[in-house]
Amino acid sequence: MTEILMPKATAVWLVDNTSLTFDQIADFCGLHPLEVKGIADGEVARDIRGADPIANGQLSRDELDKAEKNEKYRMVAQKSRHAELLKPVKKAPRYTPVSRRQDRPDAIAWFVRNHPEVADSQIARLLGTTKATIEQVRNRQHWNSANIKPVDPVTLGLATQLELDAVVKKAAEKKAKDDARKGIVEPEGPTLRPASETGVVEEEEAPARTDLTAADVWADQDEGDED
């Protein structure tokens, strides 16, 4: 059976402009008869504008006439001439100019070094490359590994800053969710390193002397005054 484009809008038009039964309209539009009744009662699809199935090529006038003359007749939809235009268009792979293709390994290396959280599939879509190439760069098995240097894709002209930011943000959010699910909590700020690592050992405080006499105290003060 050919699926009807905009079934509710089509049902609205058929309710308003024909003498078809609720069952006939429901069968043609792929809806429940009670839903069609709700449309007729103004309880359903009140804000939907009717779509003429004859005008958009989904129903012939002969089929409609047959159905109006016989309530047991079920109309047969025909393929709309607009159906191809309404199909979702699959996004084509990103095209990278030949002059820029040699720069892609550098951009891949940049991602591998600076944003390991970005999935290979995201890198492949952004740069117009393949997962196999990404793996070769990561494992230094690429034929040109000796000359590959990490350079961000914006500088290379392989992506816009907005595209890059969106990819990195999406990957970071996914990583945060995964970490939270695993119970991994990142520190909010830089943590203090122990003195044993920094090589700085705090001086121990000298213990307070308890054997000083009054004469010693006055002697210290006199020395301070002479200075």
Side-chain angles (χ1 to χ4, degrees):
M1 179 180 176
T2 302
E3 293 186 2
I4 298 299
L5 301 174
M6 302 179 293
K8 285 189 178 180
T10 300
V12 169
W13 188 90
L14 292 173
V15 167
D16 293 341
N17 296 277
T18 70
S19 59
L20 298 174
T21 65
F22 294 158
D23 288 337
Q24 286 176 305
I25 296 174
D27 186 80
F28 181 74
C29 297
L31 303 174
H32 193 280
L34 291 178
E35 194 169 8
V36 177
K37 183 178 183 300
I39 292 174
D41 294 339
E43 299 174 354
V44 178
R46 286 181 296 179
D47 299 326
I48 295 180
R49 183 178 180 182
D52 184 351
I54 297 176
N56 62 30
Q58 295 185 99
L59 179 66
S60 68
R61 173 57 66 178
D62 289 340
E63 279 293 294
L64 179 58
D65 289 342
K66 290 179 183 177
E68 287 186 312
K69 292 176 182 178
N70 181 5
E71 64 179 25
K72 293 183 180 181
Y73 183 80
R74 295 296 181 262
M75 297 181 294
V76 179
Q78 56 188 21
K79 188 174 181 180
S80 171
R81 59 177 178 271
H82 302 301
E84 292 298 323
L85 297 176
L86 296 175
K87 281 185 178 180
V89 179
K90 187 176 181 181
K91 190 175 181 180
R94 176 185 290 271
Y95 173 75
T96 305
V98 176
S99 60
R100 291 289 185 185
R101 290 178 188 176
Q102 61 186 3
D103 296 331
R104 285 187 294 196
D106 291 345
I108 294 172
W110 182 86
F111 271 109
V112 171
R113 187 182 72 175
N114 297 288
H115 291 285
E117 73 277 8
V118 177
D120 289 358
S121 57
Q122 291 177 293
I123 299 174
R125 283 195 298 270
L126 183 68
L127 303 181
T129 186
T130 64
K131 292 183 179 180
T133 301
I134 297 170
E135 194 63 25
Q136 290 171 0
V137 173
R138 178 181 289 112
N139 297 328
R140 299 193 64 78
Q141 295 176 346
H142 191 274
W143 66 270
N144 196 32
S145 290
N147 298 315
I148 294 176
K149 297 179 180 179
V151 182
D152 75 90
V154 176
T155 300
L156 294 172
L158 296 172
T160 66
Q161 188 64 54
L162 288 176
E163 290 173 329
L164 177 60
D165 290 345
V167 167
V168 172
K169 180 181 178 182
K170 184 176 181 180
E173 291 175 347
K174 183 178 185 302
K175 182 178 183 299
K177 290 180 181 179
D178 292 342
D179 288 348
R181 193 160 47 244
K182 297 175 183 176
I184 301 174
V185 180
E186 293 289 339
E188 295 182 359
T191 57
L192 293 177
R193 296 167 59 193
S196 59
E197 292 185 13
T198 61
V200 178
V201 180
E202 295 181 359
E203 296 183 359
E204 294 183 359
E205 293 184 0
R209 293 183 60 185
T210 59
D211 58 342
L212 293 176
T213 64
D216 293 330
V217 174
W218 285 109
D220 289 340
Q221 290 181 351
D222 290 341
E223 289 177 1
D225 293 338
E226 289 176 1
D227 293 339

